[in-house]
Amino acid sequence: MDEDNSDAEEQVYDEEQDEFMAAAELNAATKPQPTSGVKNSSLYKAPTTDEIQGLQESSDLFKSNIFKLQIEELLKEVVVDYKKAQPLEAALRKLKEIFDRTPQHQELSLSAIKANMKKKSVVIPFPSPAPASDIQYTFSYTAPSAMHLVGSFPLKTVSKSRDGWSVDVAVEMPEELFQEKDHMNYRYFYKRAYYLAVLASAIQDKKSGMSSTKIEFSTLNGDQRKPILVLSPSGDKSETDFKKMRCTIRIIPYIPASVFPAQRLAPGRNNVRSDAAEQLPTPQYNTALQQDTAFTSHLTFLYQHSKNCAAFKDGCVLLKVWATQRGLIRKTSDGFNGFLLEMLMAYLLQGGGANGGKKLANGFSSYQLAKGAIDYLAQHDFAAHPIFMGQHSSSGEFSKEAFVSNFDVVFVDPSGKINLAGHVTKASLDELQHEARLAMKFFTESSDDKFEALFLKRVDNPMLRFDNVVRINVPKNLDQLKSYSKAAALDHPSPYIHFAHSIAPLLKRGLTDRIHLVVARYEPLQNWAVSASAPDFGADSVITVGLLLNHEESSRLVDMGPPADDLEAAQTFRQLWGNKAELRRFKDGSILESAVWEAQGTDARHLIVGQMISYLLKHHLSVPHDAVHYWAGQLNKFIQYNSKVIPERLFDNKSAATNGFQSVIAAFESLTKVVKTTEDLPLSVTHMYFCSPAARLSSTFIPQPRDFTLGSNAYPDSAQFVEPLDVVIQFESSQKWPDNLKAIQRMKTAFYLRLADKIKFKGMRATVVEETEEDSIGMNGYMDVRVNPGFIFRCRIQHDREMILCENVISDRKASQSLKDQHQRALDLYNKYFVQAPMHTFQMHALCHKHPSLSQTIRLTKRWVSAHWLSPFLNDETLELLSAAVYVDAAPWAAPASGFTGFARVLNLLSTWDWKHEPLVVDLTGEMAAKEREEIRHNFANIRNNMVSTSSATNPSIKTTAISSNHANMFIATSKDTLSKWWTWESPSPMIVSRLRTLAKTSLDHLNKTTSATSAGASKSLTPLFVTPTVHYDVVIDLDPSLCTRYAQNLAPEAQYFVTKGDKYKNLSTFQKSVFGEEIMIGFDPAAEYVAELQRAFGDIALFFYDRYGGTQVGVLWNPVTLTPRAWKVNLGFNNKPADLNKDGALEDPKGKKGASGSKLVVPNIEALMGEVERVGHGLVRSIQVNRDPSAAVAV
C-alpha cells in the first residue's frame, strides 16, 4: 500500500480513537458515581484488559458493535463443531487399519492389474491419454508409508457451505514403488491411479468394516490427471457413520519430495515427449506432479502461522466465506481454492506490505486479516510482481523469469520451486481481483452496513452478476481444432478444458476496452462410481461466458487498430479480425486498420458486443453462430410495438430505435424557446420543466410523433391514444398575484389563453382546458400545445403563493375540518405537480445519463408490472425508484450496464426485500450523508409503530406528530423524501406487495431457467414473464379491443383491429369513421377511465386490476371483509341482499325453513353488482366471466 493511503488510514484511525475516548469520557461523566458506602461492587470494577481490548476493537474496526457481532455469529454458523466429530474420527481410524493391512505385490503388467481390479469391480481411473497396451514398465503395490490429515480440517479452518465440506486424508505412496523416469510421460499418474484403485477395492471389501460407505472417484481440484477417492457416510448409524457431520472424506495419494529430483520438474522442462523436433515445456504437468509432494510441508507452514496468529483460523474462514458466496471457489481446474487463500493470508503475515514489510500482523483480528487479504488481492499487480513466499533464484530453472514465462499467475511456495497457482488462469485472477475491488468498496463505505452483501448473500447467479451472458454449445471434435495443436495437447490433455480456457483470453483481446471483465465457466465433472470408467466432458456440454460491460465504450461502431505502416501490428490485427479488418481513412487524416459493425439505434448498438463474440468464436474456435446464445436483447421486443401486426405507418419501431428520446426532447426545447421568447405577456417566463416520464427517458414506449394534420379517421380506434407530456411553467415573481386561491386559478386560465393566442403565430396550436369545478381551489386547468413533428405537451403554471395559502388554512385552528381537507387536497396536487415531479425528473434524468442502461431497466419494469395487472397500484415514480435502487446501491454486485441484467435485479429486489422491517433507501444523487440515512431509519421505525412526524414546507421548524394507519407499505425514501410520502404513502397495500413479491420470484425463476437453456427457441420462452394468470381472480371482464385506444401497445395484438382499407386498395388509406368523433382526444383511454369509474363506485368492496398498456381484460377481487354478513342499514354503500336468501329467492332460517324472518344480515349482491359493472361499461364490455361467486360460500 502506498504512503498516501497509509497516512490516510492512520488519520482515520486517530479520528476514530478520539471519538472513542470522547464517548468514553462523556459516558463516565454521566454515570452516577458510587457512594462511599459501596465497596467491592462488581458494577464499579475497572474493566479488564480483555474488555478494554474488545471495546477498542469494536470502535477501531467496526464503528459499532453490530458488525463485530455479525461476524461472531457468522463464524459460529460456518465453523465445524469438533466435539461432534467422534464418528468421523472413528471412520478415519478404520481407514488407517484397512490401508495398513492391504497385501502388497510386486511388478504386475498393465493387463494383469486391469484384470485383478475388474474382479473386484473397480475400474482403474487412468487419466487421459490412457497408458498404451505395450508399455514396458510394471506396477507394484505396498501399504501406505503414512497417512496424514491435511487441508482445512486439521487446521480448523473449515468453512461449511451448501455443497458440504470435506476432510482430506493424504496417503503416502512408498518411494520404492517408483522408478527414476516415472516423472515422465504420465508414468507417475498411471501408478498413482492404480494405487488409488487398490485402496478403493480394499475399502469396499465386505470384510473391511466400511463396505457400506459410498465410494466414488473424483478429481483433485478438477485436474483429470489426479483422481481421488471420495467417501460419503453410510447412514447406517454405526460407529463409523459420520452423516451428522455433513461432510465427505477425500483420499489423496501423494509421494515424498525425495522421489524425484526437483530440477526435473522445473517449469521450463518437458516431461511429456512427442515426436516433434523441439520439445516444448510442460509446466502444467510438472506442477501437478510437484504439488503431490508438498501436502505435509504446506500443512506445517500453515499450522505454524495459526499458532503465531490467534485470529488466523477465523480470518481464513471469513475469507473463504466471502469467496464461496461469489463462486470463486469451485471444483474446476482454473481458479483459486480455499488452500490458495489460506496460503495467501499466511504469506501476508510475513510479507506483501510496503517496502518489503508485512501486510498483516499477528495481532490483527479476523476481520482485519480478511479485509487485509482482500485489499491485497484488489491492488496487487500479479504480472509485474509475482509472489514468492520464500527466497527465489535470480537465475536458473526456478528463477522469476522461468515462472513468469510459463504461467499466467505466479504464487511460489516457501520452497521456491512449486507454483501454487500454476493452474490459475489470467481470467480467473481478473475475476477474483474484480470481486476484491468491489468488496473493498463495500468495506470502506461508511454510509451503510454491507455485511450482508459481503458475507451472507449468494451472488454467483450469472444472470444477476454479469451484464451479458453467453451460453456456448461446445462443438464436436475439439481435438481437431487448429488451436489445439500437438504442442498444446502435451500440457493440456483435455481438449474441452483447453477450449474453455481459450475463450476468455480471445474475447478479452478482441473486445478490448468495451468490457471490464470476461469470465468463462464450465460445469466440473461429477463423481463417478469406482466400477465405472472415468467420464469426460460430453458433446452436449455448455460453457457459460459472463461479461461486465464498459457502458461508455461497449456500443461504439468502429474498432480502430494500428496504423497501416506498423506492419507487424497490422498483421496481428488482421489475424484477429480476418475479413472484418479493413483499412480506413478517418476524419483526422489517419489511415488505420479497423473493424466496423453495423447497428441502427441505441438498442441495436448495445448488441454489438454479441456480434463481435459470435464472429471471434467462429473465426478462431470454429463455433457455429447457432451454437452461441447471447442473452442481452431478447427483452427489447416487449417495450416496442409489435411490428408484425401493426403497420409501420402507425408506429415505426425502427425510427423510434434510431432517434430514441431525442425527438421528444428536441420538441420540448422548441416549445421552451417559443414560450420564453413570447412578447406582450404581463410576466415573462423564467423556467420550463419537462416532467413527463419521457423527460426521464423512462416511458415504457418511446414517444412517437403523430401527424395531427390527419383527422382521427386516419388511425384505427385501437391506436388512437395520444399521451400528453407534462410541462411546468414558472413566471417571474410578482406581487400582483391575488391572495385568493380561486382567483389564482382564474389568473392562470387567463395566462393560458394569452399564451395560446401568442404561440399560434409561431406554428404551434394550443388548447386551453378547464378540468375541475368552477369553485375548485386546486389546479383546475392546463394548456395542451401541439409541437412539431407531432407531440402534445400539457403545460401547467406554478405559483409559489398557492402553497403558502394552503398551509396557512391547514394550520389555522379556527378553520373547519372540511375547509382544511379541501386545502390539503389542493396542497397535495400542488406538491405532486410542482415540487415532487420536477425534482424527481431532474434526479432521474441525471441518473439515466450516468447509467445509460437504467432507462431500459425502468421501461421493462413498468411493462412487467403492468402486464401483471398491477399498474393501478404502482405509479411510474415508484417503479423508477425501484429500478434506480439496483444502480445506486448495486451491492453485492457492480452497477449493471445492461437493461436485461438491470431488470433481473429489480425482480430479485422485489422478491427478496423485507418491506416490513427494512426501508429502501435510494440515494439518487450519491451524496446522502449518514445523518440522513439515520433519519430515514428513524422515520421508518416511527411509521411502523404508527407514529409519523411531519414538518411544514414553509417553516421546517414547525413539526407535528400524527397517527399513521397502514401507510408506506413499500417504504422507499430519498434525500428529498425521507418519509416516503411522495409516491408510496397510500399505495400499494400489503396484499399488493405480497403479490408483487410472489410474481417477481416466479418470474426470476423462469428467467433463470430460460436463460440456462441453449435451445434455438429458448428466447421465445421469455413471453410468459409478461403473461399473468387469470384463474386467481373472482371475475374477469373482457373489453372490446377495437375501443381500447392503447390496444396497439398490447403484448399480442390481433391484426384485424389495425387493418385499413388502404391495405387492400392503394388509392384508399383511411379507416372507418372513429366512434370517438373526428376530433383527436388527447390522453383518452377508455379502459383506464372504465377502471377508474369502477374503483370510484365499487372500490370499497373490490379491487380492480388491469394492464394499462393495451390490456383488454380487467380482473376483479372481492374484498373478503365486505363479504362477511353485516347488519342492514341505509346507505350501506353497495347493492346487497339478505344473507339467508336461497337460490330461489326465498328466505331461510339457519335450520332451512322457508318463510322464516331470517337473521336480518345482508351481504353484497354479486349478481346485481355484476349487472351494474356491465352497465357502466356498456359498449366497451364484451363479456364477464365469473370464476367464483364468494357470496355463495358465505354462512350466517
Side-chain angles (χ1 to χ4, degrees), residues 656 659-666 693-695 697-699 701-703 855 859:
N659 299 325
F661 290 92
Q662 292 305 313
S663 296
V664 68
I665 291 175
L697 315 181
S698 63
S699 59
F701 293 86
I702 295 175
S855 171
R859 294 166 63 203

Side-chain angles (χ1 to χ4, degrees), residues 301-302 305 312 316 319 322 336-352 359-360 369-370 372-378 380 382 387 389 410-412 420 429 432 436:
F301 176 79
L302 291 172
H305 279 290
F312 179 79
C316 288
L319 186 60
W322 167 79
F336 273 65
N337 50 45
F339 165 70
L340 265 179
L341 295 176
E342 291 174 356
M343 292 295 282
L344 176 69
M345 187 172 289
Y347 164 69
L348 297 178
L349 285 167
Q350 63 183 37
K359 172 74 174 177
L360 306 177
L369 291 174
I374 294 172
D375 180 56
Y376 182 82
L377 287 170
H380 187 68
F382 282 80
I387 298 176
M389 301 184 72
V410 177
F411 183 8
V412 181
L420 302 176
L429 177 63
L432 177 67

